[in-house]
Amino acid sequence: MFTKVLVANRGEIAVRIIRACKELGVDTVAVYSEGDADALHARLADEAVCIGPALSAESYLKVTHLISAAEVSGCEAIHPGYGFLAENAAFARMVSESGLVFIGPTPDNINKMGNKSLAKVTMRAAGVSVIPGSKKDLTGLPEARKLAAEYGYPVLVKAAAGGGGKGMRLAHDEKELETGYKMAKAESKAAFGDDRLYLEKYIERPRHIEIQIMADNYGKTVHLGERECSIQRRHQKLIEESPSPAVNEALRKKMGAAAVSAAKTIGYRGAGTVEFLLDPKGDFFFMEMNTRIQVEHPVTEMVSGYDLLKEQIKVAAGSKLSIRRDVNKPNGHSIECRINAEDPDRDFMPTPGKISFLHLPGGPGIRVDSHIFAGYVVPQYYDSLIAKIISHGRTRGEAIDRMRRGLEEFYIEGVKTTIPFHLKVLADPEFIAGNLHTGFIPEMAERLKAKK
Ligand code: MV4
């Protein structure tokens, strides 16, 4: 095992990584920006190094600062967390070329999945069902028109370098395709410096179902079941759960096998997530793969019994996976609500500022992953996630009841949060019935308006 690990992140995930290292007997070095001088992760780690000003571009994204911090403090490995440099193949390569271990997949793994259009080519060749669409990057608008006519409208134009909805345009007819194509091209050029596009048949009212996989260096690759992440707002997930109300054991085995073969095809190592769309008929299609630990990993931990961070670190250190077989039978049900410092009454505008009072929920079946405390000032510079409440129960109903109680006993003053919004979702009859799909939030808004 490593003796010392550099935690190249901030917020709740930095705290989560430090906790896993403590249990493994590994010392930690935190990095922090000038905007995070009082942050919890810098206090909980054994050592802390300031790596620059508050702006991420001058601190958490500075490859040279991170590698120097690891070298001067005598670390053997770097954990990137999620976001920032977690899916940057050049960073992963520089870490290993500096004689350090990148706790994550290989640079080649990251590259193969980073281009979403190329990832689909690889998956199709491996026999994984992918969303019907262009077989490679589009050559131009004429080809887009031809393919759209072939598959039938509506279609989606997506950025090859994208993911998570950036540079994506929906078209219901040829006219919309023309403007959508041009806008997607300009947007992805500006956002990624890469204007390659691909086209897909638009799947109506799908669920977003993702499969957690883990792989070691000894040829072992397993899946840990699914997470349902259909409840999103502007491509930001707000609530995730495992298992999905729409997935039975037979479907879990099929989707799990597809995810494992996706990972094996590229010689994947470490923790990863294979995203699928599940259509109302029950057919599923590969969408993209995320080559990192994800925000919503705790719901999988609660129903599988495994600590994904510890597994990730052990695998990177050269140990075998402790998970010996696929997790096809989840233990109970788990739900995660993301508590953001945002005002749901003002279009989810960020609400940075000082937390003047705080009481975090607890009790049976409630876990809180967070870095906040009374007196903490939520900085304006980073994403607005301040806590994750994760409930666990024997049934989905019990997980919902516990989550509602947890949200109600979360007392926070000084910043507005997404807690009232979560309570509305938990009271929604369609949510309670498990009727989830990617249009859930706009449709819930309509239901609430009709009730008034
Ligand atoms: C789709 C789709 C329907 N059909 N692709 C949104 C984010 C990005 N990862 C892909 N997304 C979608 N791709 C096809 N061919 C619908 C979405 C989508 C969506 C997906 C998951 C969760 C929420 C969503 C909200 C709107 C659209």
Side-chain angles (χ1 to χ4, degrees), residues 131-132 156 158 163-166 168 200-204 206-208 229-230 232 235 275 277 287-288 438-439:
I131 303 175
L156 274 174
K158 295 184 174 182
K166 245 188 229 155
M168 191 171 88
E200 284 180 351
K201 170 89 188 136
Y202 181 63
I203 304 196
E204 315 241 15
R207 291 176 185 248
H208 172 126
C229 308
S230 299
Q232 308 194 3
H235 305 303
E275 293 186 355
L277 288 183
M287 189 161 56
E288 39 190 85
T438 57

Side-chain angles (χ1 to χ4, degrees), residues 6-60:
L6 186 99
V7 183
N9 215 300
R10 65 175 303 285
E12 71 85 18
I13 194 63
V15 171
R16 177 72 189 85
I17 297 163
I18 293 165
R19 286 174 171 156
C21 287
K22 288 230 153 112
E23 291 180 26
L24 291 169
V26 176
D27 283 348
T28 51
V29 178
V31 294
Y32 65 96
S33 73
E34 285 166 11
D36 270 339
D38 302 321
L40 190 67
H41 75 280
R43 299 191 199 184
L44 285 184
D46 297 291
E47 295 167 48
V49 180
C50 183
I51 50 162
L55 280 181
S56 307
E58 296 176 37
S59 48
Y60 297 107

